[in-house]
Amino acid sequence: MKYAKQIFIIFLVTMLGELLNFLLPLPVPAGVYGLFILLAALCSGLVKLPDVEDFGGFLLEAMPMMFIPAAVGLLEQFGEIRAIFMPLVVIVVVSTVVVMAVTGKAAELVIRAKRERKTK
């Protein structure tokens, strides 16, 4: 019964995200709406972490399987990709480094702000 409750909560949040995606004329994917809804529910205490933790963990463990079709599609189109392979690799490497650097700086700012708040 515990897992049924967890599945219900996650699917309900997913459906609410889909509903918001349908109602709001913004270019935001339904999954992003769902993530924000779940975050708000967790932060507000409306949903407790143990209420979704086990099934959420299962979904995270199953996530790599979802990338298999995309990888197979890339392999099937490698002939077309070969012409732009080096620029693609450069773009992926540079964008990954930039995202990592910005994330690191943002984390530092958050940590510094928390420390300053504690000392006041």
Side-chain angles (χ1 to χ4, degrees), residues 102-118:
V102 169
T103 303
K105 286 296 180 186
E108 285 178 2
L109 289 172
V110 169
I111 292 169
R112 190 174 299 133
K114 282 186 178 181
R115 284 185 189 154
E116 289 175 3
R117 233 181 312 147
K118 284 184 180 179

Side-chain angles (χ1 to χ4, degrees), residues 63-81:
M63 190 183 298
M65 275 192 328
M66 306 306 163
F67 291 98
I68 293 173
V72 170
L74 285 173
L75 290 175
E76 286 181 351
Q77 301 299 321
F78 189 73
E80 288 83 15
I81 293 173

Side-chain angles (χ1 to χ4, degrees), residues 60-96:
L60 282 175
E61 290 173 8
M63 190 183 298
M65 275 192 328
M66 306 306 163
F67 291 98
I68 293 173
V72 170
L74 285 173
L75 290 175
E76 286 181 351
Q77 301 299 321
F78 189 73
E80 288 83 15
I81 293 173
R82 187 178 304 148
I84 61 165
F85 187 72
M86 282 313 293
L88 186 64
V89 169
V90 170
I91 290 169
V92 167
V93 169
V94 169
S95 64
T96 300

Side-chain angles (χ1 to χ4, degrees), residues 3-16:
Y3 294 112
K5 178 183 175 186
Q6 292 184 15
I7 291 169
F8 176 77
I9 291 170
I10 290 178
F11 283 169
L12 178 67
V13 167
T14 302
M15 292 304 297
L16 290 173

